Amino acid sequence: MNNYKLLTPGPLTTTEAVKNEMLKDRCTWDDEYKQVTQMIRKQLVEIAQVNEKDYTAVLMQGSGSFVVESVLTTAIGERDKVLIITNGAYGERIVDMANALQLQHAVYSVPYNEQPSSTEVQAILEGDPTITHVAIVHCETTTGILNPIHEVGKIVERFGKTYIVDAMSSFGGVPMDLSKQPIDFLISSANKCIQGVPGFGFVIAKIEALEKCAGNARSVALDLYKQWEVMRVDGKWRFTSPTHVVAAFAKAVEELSEEGGVEARYSRYAKNNWILRTRLASLGFNAYITEELQSPIITTFLYPNEGFSFEHFYQEMKKAGFVIYPGKLTEVDTFRIGNIGDIHKEDMIVLCEIIENYMAVKNNEN
């Protein structure tokens, strides 16, 4: 395969230094490797702006969805009930997981281009005192919308519920001070805003909340509590860990710090997104999400006209060195372009120029 700029919400374009870390083989039982795991766990807690006295980071093999399911099966007991807030495919996947795990649950669903209302969450909690947990996706990459986790969190805290936030596509790229938010379990993945590669995810959990989870899990491999119980001793993973991926992630965390931390990375992503939205709007590509609800992670665009062929557009972009994403909506025709990873202003300008030339040719043909 050729080298492409991946304009996707993960896997994404990584730096050469991150790739190079995967050229060495490492042993899961080796003390040096276990120290890398412990260092990563400590750094993740620091990025979340909380302290190790109250919070811990647990790494879990698999994609982001594996880690979401590990939290659901571990944190929600047989007598508990979770309110799942959805406005996209990834919130709906949590519902699918709850059904498969036979968890008691309720669903608060809003259209894909709208944010959930904290007032409505309050009404649901007032009307159903059996709800013990609330789960929400922060950045719903189905559309690129950023959900109001802080406002919802205030309601969750007021009612004394456990708060689960899927921050898969936002943690490390959107400023998020957990010390000011009542999040009990925050979930993310190695191959998102911290700019590592796929292979594991992680949970930043309140220790007090995690300690209550012993014996809940309906899975052996996805038991987050037991993973933590083993990992916190010396950094050993319960089962074979993705050693190459872990080493690459350690380098990615180092690069995040060198860039200036989350604030600096957010600024770069936001500039990328602004260039993309502004330039494409002038070509007739309207964003599905309004600007005030848009995350800096990925943008969903409506087709510019009835004759637009995404497949042809996709192949032409790929020939030019950029891989974009198809839409994930069913009621309207869309495609998506991400701007996270090792992507910079110069890349977005080049992409926009390529799209401008593409549209000029298409307009002349018509």
Side-chain angles (χ1 to χ4, degrees), residues 112-113 142-143 286-289 300-303 326-335:
Y112 282 16
N113 60 348
T142 303
T143 59
N286 294 316
Y288 178 72
I289 299 297
T300 295
F301 291 98
L302 301 169
Y303 285 12
K328 210 171 177 66
L329 306 179
T330 55
E331 76 277 14
V332 289
D333 292 323
T334 61
F335 65 91

Side-chain angles (χ1 to χ4, degrees), residues 34-45:
K34 289 189 286 187
Q35 287 169 13
V36 171
T37 297
Q38 295 294 63
M39 178 185 68
I40 289 171
R41 295 180 63 226
K42 179 180 178 67
Q43 289 169 325
L44 288 172
V45 171

Side-chain angles (χ1 to χ4, degrees), residues 12 14 54 124 156 179 209 296 301 339 351:
L12 39 68
T14 55
D54 300 316
I124 293 170
V156 174
S179 71
F301 291 98
N339 43 248
L351 172 71

Side-chain angles (χ1 to χ4, degrees), residues 13 82 90 142 155 190 236 269 288 321 334 337 359:
T13 300
V82 58
Y90 296 96
T142 303
I155 303 300
K236 180 183 174 296
Y269 289 170
Y288 178 72
T334 61
I337 299 181
M359 293 302 290

Side-chain angles (χ1 to χ4, degrees), residues 138-337:
H138 186 204
C139 178
E140 180 52 89
T141 53
T142 303
T143 59
I145 198 168
L146 202 62
N147 285 324
I149 59 170
H150 185 63
E151 290 80 359
V152 171
K154 289 180 180 178
I155 303 300
V156 174
E157 183 178 35
R158 189 185 308 163
F159 282 81
K161 311 301 182 183
T162 299
Y163 196 25
I164 299 169
V165 174
D166 175 345
M168 206 66 60
S169 297
S170 58
F171 184 77
V174 176
M176 199 182 309
D177 185 347
L178 260 67
S179 71
K180 297 178 181 177
Q181 302 207 45
I183 299 173
D184 296 285
F185 297 91
L186 181 138
I187 311 159
S188 193
S189 179
N191 63 304
K192 302 291 185 177
C193 293
I194 295 182
Q195 299 182 183
V197 299
F200 77 91
F202 53 87
V203 180
I204 299 172
K206 280 186 180 176
I207 294 174
E208 183 182 5
L210 188 54
E211 286 175 334
K212 297 175 182 178
C213 297
N216 279 347
R218 300 153 182 81
S219 166
V220 173
L222 297 181
D223 188 331
L224 187 72
Y225 177 84
K226 286 191 175 179
Q227 182 89 331
W228 172 61
E229 200 173 38
V230 172
M231 188 171 282
R232 65 176 170 162
V233 175
D234 62 357
K236 180 183 174 296
W237 300 56
R238 287 171 67 221
F239 306 116
T240 302
S241 69
T243 53
H244 298 78
V245 176
V246 171
F249 187 77
K251 183 63 178 178
V253 173
E254 181 182 318
E255 290 184 342
L256 173 64
S257 176
E258 290 171 352
E259 186 172 350
V262 177
E263 291 282 353
R265 185 153 292 178
Y266 172 79
S267 177
R268 172 163 62 86
Y269 289 170
K271 287 175 184 175
N272 288 346
N273 186 262
W274 182 84
I275 292 169
L276 183 68
R277 286 172 61 98
T278 304
R279 295 279 288 269
L280 264 62
S282 68
L283 298 174
F285 291 95
N286 294 316
Y288 178 72
I289 299 297
T290 58
E291 188 172 354
E292 64 270 17
L293 303 183
Q294 175 72 51
S295 75
I297 307 301
I298 189 168
T299 306
T300 295
F301 291 98
L302 301 169
Y303 285 12
N305 52 60
E306 288 185 4
F308 180 79
S309 167
F310 173 73
E311 182 57 32
H312 186 267
F313 181 68
Y314 175 87
Q315 293 300 335
E316 291 301 305
M317 295 304 106
K318 189 173 180 181
K319 286 178 187 176
F322 293 94
V323 174
I324 61 175
Y325 242 35
K328 210 171 177 66
L329 306 179
T330 55
E331 76 277 14
V332 289
D333 292 323
T334 61
F335 65 91
R336 295 175 289 167
I337 299 181

